[in-house]
Amino acid sequence: MPFPPRIARAITTALGGRSVRERAERLYYRDEGHGYDRFGLHPDFVALGDVIGKPGYEWYFRVESHGAENIPKTGPGILAANHSGTLPMDGAMLWVDVLRNTDPPRCSRPLADYFVPSLPFVSTLFARCGVVGGSRGNAQALLEAGELLMIFPEGVPGIGKPFAQRYQLQHWTKGHCELAIRHRAPVIPIGIVGAEEQMPQIARIPVKGPVPYIPIPATLVPLPTKYHIHYGEPIPLHEEFSPDDADDPEIVRNAAARVKAAVQALLERGLSERKGIFR
Amino acid sequence: MISVLVTGATTTVGERFVRSLVADTRVRHVLAVAREPPEQALPFSHGNRLTYLSVDLARSRHVRELLFGPARDLGVEVVVHLGQHRSGFGKGRKVHAANVEALRSILDLADRHPTIRRLVLKSYAVAYKVSLELPILVREDHPLNLSPKAPQYIRDRVEADLTACARMGLSSFETVVLRCAEALGPGTGSQIYDYLDAPVAFRPLGFDPMVNVATVEDMVVALEKATHGSGEGVFNIPGYDTLPLSEATRKWGTPSIPLPGGFLRPAYNLRHRLTGSEFEYGLNRNRLHIGLVLDGTRAREVLGYVPRHPIDWPIGGPVADPALDDSPD
C-alpha cells in the first residue's frame, strides 16, 4: 500500500476499537518475517478491512449469519457461494462474516478474477486483506497451507446476472471441486440472500480493458437490502474420494452439481425464512 | 574429496563461493576462472588448493583448452557455472556468446570429459513468466518467459536455462539448475538491488507487489549443497526475505515516487542516460506490478536448502522469521 501497516493500525485503533484490534492480533496466518504472508496479507490491513466493512456489515446491509459453526476452525476449506449484485458487496460481507464468526479468527482468501490484480490501489488493498488472483497455482498453495478459500463458482456471469434471474444460479464452474478432492479440503456451501436485489442491473456495455463490461444498474448505489448468509454443512469430498479422483471428469462434474444443489437449497431456505427484501 | 571448476569466479557470488570451497575440507582443489587477469582477481590467500585462470568462455576453443587441459589434469568432477553478463542493458552477439554459447560449449565438452560428473548452473528467477493469469508463488513447473519481445537479458537467461535442462537424463553427467532469487549486493547483477540502491525509486502508482530477495550468503549455501549433492533437476532457490516492494524501499531507506505506469519507462530511461543506473524498466515491468515469490519446497526436500540469512536492512536490520525458525537444516 502507499502507506505502511502502522498507519493502518492507527486507523483501526481510532475507528474500530479494541475488538477489531484483538481480532487482528489473534488472526491465523503465516508470517514470512516482515509481517506479511507470501501473497501480501497483513493483519493490520485485515483489521482495516474489518473497519471499512463495518458500516456495510452492521448498519447498511445488517448482515445476519446462520450456521457459521460449519466453517472449519482449522485446516483447509473451500467456501463456495452464489455471486450477485453488480458490485461484489457479497464477497466483502462474506469476508467480514467469516472473520467475525470464527474463533480464532480466520481470514478467508477470496479468489478474484484475473483482471482484479491489474487494478491500481484495489489490487493492493485486496492483496493485503487476503484476496489472491484466481490461478490454480495460487489456490493450490493456499490449500496446502491450510487456508480457507472463498470461491464464487458463478464468477463474473453471476455478479452480472439480470434482475429477472436473481437467485437462479448461473453456469457453475467445477474447479473448486477438483481443488477440494485433490488437496483434501471440505467444501462449505453458502447461500447469500439479499445481495441479488441490492443493485438491479438493467444493461451492460462490453468493453476491452481490465474489466469485462460496464454495468448499467437501476440504482446508483446498492440498495440497503438485508443480507442473510447461510452456511451449509461441509461436503466432505476429500473423505469420499481419493486425490487421483480429481482427474475423473465425471466425479468432478457430479461433485460440482452436489455443491450447486446445496447452495440452491440454502438460497431457497433463506428466501422462505426472510420477512422481506429489507428485513 | 572433489575438485571443482567455478566459472564467473570474480562475481560477487562467485568470489564468496570460491572462498567457501577453499575452506571446505571436502574439496581437494578449486579451479576458478573468469575474464579478469589474475592480478585483479580473488584478493584472498588460498594456499595451494586454488588455481585461478583468466579465460574468455565466450570462445569455444578456450573452453576446450580449459576443460581438456587444467580441468582434466586436476580431475575436476563438478563444474559450477556462474558466468553471465550482468548488465541489464547488455545486448548483441558477444553478450549472447557469454550468456548462452559458453554454457553450450561446456555442456558439449563435459559430455565426453573423463572426469566431470556433475554440472551446476546458477539460473535466475527472472526466467519465469510473470502474468496476471499465473500464480504469484512460483514452483519449478511455472512457465518460463519465452516471449520473443522479452529483452535479451531475459531471453539469454531462459535459453541458457533450457539448454541445461535439455541435457538432463541424456548426458554422462548430472545437471542441476538453480533458479535463484536476486541476491542484494553490489556487483551481483540484481535489478532489485539497482532499484533499491538508487537515490530515488520510481514505483508504479497503486501497485505494491510481493518480492523475494536473498543474500549472497544464502546463494553460496545453495551452491554448496548443489555441488555436494547427488541427482539432478531444477530447483528454486528463494531468499529469506519476502515482503512488498514498498516495504523493501522503506527498509533500504530509498525515497520512492509513485508514477502512473506510462511515465515509468521514460523516467527510468532518462535516469539511465543521466546517471548510468543499471535498472532496466523493461526487464521489471511485470514484476513491479504483479510480483513473484519463489517456492523453495523442492530445494528444501531434495537439496536440504533453507534460506537462513536475512538481509541486514539499512533501516531496521534483519528480521527473524518465526515460520522458519523450527525448520530442519
Side-chain angles (χ1 to χ4, degrees), chain A residues 1 32 34 121 124 138 144, chain B residues 136 139 206 208 241 251 321:
Chain A
M1 283 298 282
E32 287 290 317
H34 291 270
F121 299 107
T124 308
N138 284 343
E144 286 175 359
Chain B
I136 294 169
R139 301 181 191 214
D208 192 11
D241 291 75
K251 286 176 182 288
D321 184 341

Side-chain angles (χ1 to χ4, degrees), chain A residues 68-89:
Chain A
E69 66 278 5
N70 288 318
I71 305 169
K73 285 188 166 45
T74 57
I78 295 178
L79 307 172
N82 60 311
H83 204 17
S84 64
T86 304
L87 292 176
M89 306 307 293

Side-chain angles (χ1 to χ4, degrees), chain A residues 1 4-5 30-34 36-40 114 117-121 123-124 128 135 137-138 140-141 144, chain B residues 132-137 139 205-208 210 240-244 246-247 250-251 293 313 319-321 323-324:
Chain A
M1 283 298 282
R30 181 180 159 151
D31 181 1
E32 287 290 317
H34 291 270
Y36 299 82
D37 83 350
R38 293 181 290 186
F39 295 91
Y114 295 141
S118 71
L119 304 172
F121 299 107
S123 59
T124 308
R128 298 290 170 271
S135 71
N138 284 343
Q140 178 183 336
E144 286 175 359
Chain B
L132 290 171
E133 296 82 18
L134 295 171
I136 294 169
L137 188 65
R139 301 181 191 214
L205 182 68
F207 292 91
D208 192 11
M210 296 298 287
Y240 191 98
D241 291 75
T242 300
L243 70 174
S246 66
E247 196 74 19
R250 255 195 297 276
K251 286 176 182 288
V293 174
W313 298 93
V319 296
D321 184 341
L324 293 177

Side-chain angles (χ1 to χ4, degrees), chain B residues 87-302:
Chain B
S87 171
F89 292 92
K91 285 180 185 152
R93 193 173 52 81
K94 285 187 177 174
V95 172
H96 183 264
N99 286 341
V100 182
E101 299 308 329
L103 172 67
R104 208 186 302 277
S105 298
I106 292 171
L107 289 166
D108 284 342
L109 295 165
D111 208 14
R112 50 181 187 271
H113 196 276
T115 60
I116 292 172
R117 59 166 182 82
R118 189 168 176 81
L119 182 134
V120 178
L121 170 68
K122 181 179 181 290
S123 186
Y124 300 82
V126 76
Y128 284 118
K129 184 177 178 183
V130 181
S131 141
L132 290 171
E133 296 82 18
L134 295 171
I136 294 169
L137 188 65
V138 166
R139 301 181 191 214
E140 286 81 358
D141 58 357
H142 190 93
L144 299 181
N145 187 349
L146 297 172
S147 168
K149 293 178 182 169
Q152 184 178 337
Y153 178 92
I154 293 175
R155 279 187 282 118
D156 281 359
R157 278 157 175 74
V158 173
E159 187 178 352
D161 187 297
L162 291 177
T163 301
C165 289
R167 298 286 182 139
M168 285 180 193
L170 300 172
S171 300
S172 59
F173 56 91
E174 295 173 341
T175 307
V176 178
V177 175
L178 305 180
R179 292 180 183 152
C180 301
E182 292 193 18
L184 293 193
T188 58
S190 163
Q191 286 283 304
I192 295 178
Y193 175 78
D194 293 330
Y195 176 87
L196 295 175
D197 208 41
V200 174
F202 304 119
R203 60 181 168 82
L205 182 68
F207 292 91
D208 192 11
M210 296 298 287
V211 294
N212 173 261
V213 283
T215 53
V216 173
E217 287 87 347
D218 271 335
M219 290 301 104
V220 169
V221 169
L223 290 168
E224 284 171 357
K225 291 191 179 285
T227 299
H228 292 294
S230 61
E232 56 186 356
V234 181
F235 302 94
N236 284 340
I237 304 296
Y240 191 98
D241 291 75
T242 300
L243 70 174
L245 193 61
S246 66
E247 196 74 19
T249 52
R250 255 195 297 276
K251 286 176 182 288
W252 202 264
T254 311
S256 66
I257 298 174
L259 291 177
F263 291 95
L264 285 167
R265 189 185 295 273
Y268 276 112
N269 285 347
L270 184 65
R271 195 173 81 178
H272 171 65
R273 285 184 187 156
L274 293 178
T275 68
S277 157
E278 276 294 322
F279 184 79
E280 219 283 65
Y281 177 69
L283 298 178
N284 299 284
R285 186 186 171 282
N286 284 354
R287 285 200 301 171
L288 288 182
H289 288 80
I290 301 166
L292 181 146
V293 174
L294 293 179
D295 182 342
T297 305
R298 194 154 184 269
R300 187 181 66 235
E301 290 174 354
V302 179

Side-chain angles (χ1 to χ4, degrees), chain A:
Chain A
M1 283 298 282
F3 54 87
R6 62 186 159 79
I7 294 181
R9 199 177 313 135
I11 296 171
T12 53
T13 304
L15 300 178
R18 183 177 289 182
S19 61
V20 173
R21 288 290 329 138
E22 284 177 357
R23 249 198 306 277
E25 282 162 11
R26 294 192 303 122
L27 187 74
Y28 164 78
Y29 84 111
R30 181 180 159 151
D31 181 1
E32 287 290 317
H34 291 270
Y36 299 82
D37 83 350
R38 293 181 290 186
F39 295 91
L41 177 146
H42 192 290
D44 286 333
F45 286 95
V46 172
L48 181 65
D50 195 356
V51 167
I52 292 171
K54 182 177 177 177
Y57 185 85
E58 292 184 1
W59 305 321
Y60 199 78
F61 295 116
R62 307 167 316 282
V63 177
E64 216 167 274
S65 191
H66 310 264
E69 66 278 5
N70 288 318
I71 305 169
K73 285 188 166 45
T74 57
I78 295 178
L79 307 172
N82 60 311
H83 204 17
S84 64
T86 304
L87 292 176
M89 306 307 293
D90 51 355
M93 293 303 106
L94 179 57
W95 182 87
V96 176
D97 197 60
V98 171
L99 189 66
R100 291 182 173 208
N101 288 292
T102 44
D103 190 21
R106 298 197 73 178
C107 179
S108 55
R109 312 301 298 261
L111 285 192
D113 211 322
Y114 295 141
F115 70 85
V116 173
S118 71
L119 304 172
F121 299 107
V122 174
S123 59
T124 308
L125 179 63
F126 278 17
R128 298 290 170 271
C129 293
V131 179
V132 296
S135 71
R136 189 175 295 270
N138 284 343
Q140 178 183 336
L142 287 168
L143 287 175
E144 286 175 359
E147 298 269 8
L148 206 51
L149 288 191
M150 183 197 296
I151 296 179
F152 295 100
E154 291 177 280
V156 172
I159 200 171
K161 72 180 80 158
F163 187 66
Q165 292 177 16
R166 63 194 180 280
Y167 300 111
Q168 296 170 30
L169 296 177
Q170 305 295 298
H171 171 69
W172 195 259
T173 56
K174 302 163 192 70
H176 60 295
C177 290
E178 190 185 325
L179 285 169
I181 294 170
R182 195 181 304 283
H183 301 292
R184 324 311 293 149
V187 177
I188 299 92
I190 298 168
I192 302 174
V193 173
E196 309 240 357
E197 293 102 346
Q198 72 181 18
M199 214 170 181
Q201 198 176 122
I202 51 177
R204 63 166 80 168
I205 304 170
V207 291
K208 283 184 180 173
V211 293
Y213 62 86
I214 297 173
I216 308 294
T219 60
L220 288 177
V221 293
L223 298 169
T225 55
K226 184 171 172 63
Y227 270 45
H228 297 267
I229 299 179
H230 294 265
Y231 299 89
E233 285 187 15
I235 301 173
L237 298 176
H238 62 304
E239 292 172 2
E240 297 171 17
F241 302 103
S242 73
D244 290 344
D245 288 333
D247 291 326
D248 187 328
E250 190 67 23
I251 287 175
V252 173
R253 194 164 35 241
N254 290 339
R258 266 173 73 190
V259 176
K260 184 179 183 183
V263 172
Q264 190 71 59
L266 288 166
L267 288 175
E268 283 160 16
R269 197 183 91 197
L271 286 169
S272 67
E273 285 177 358
R274 75 171 177 178
K275 299 182 180 94
I277 292 175
F278 299 99
R279 295 195 294 152

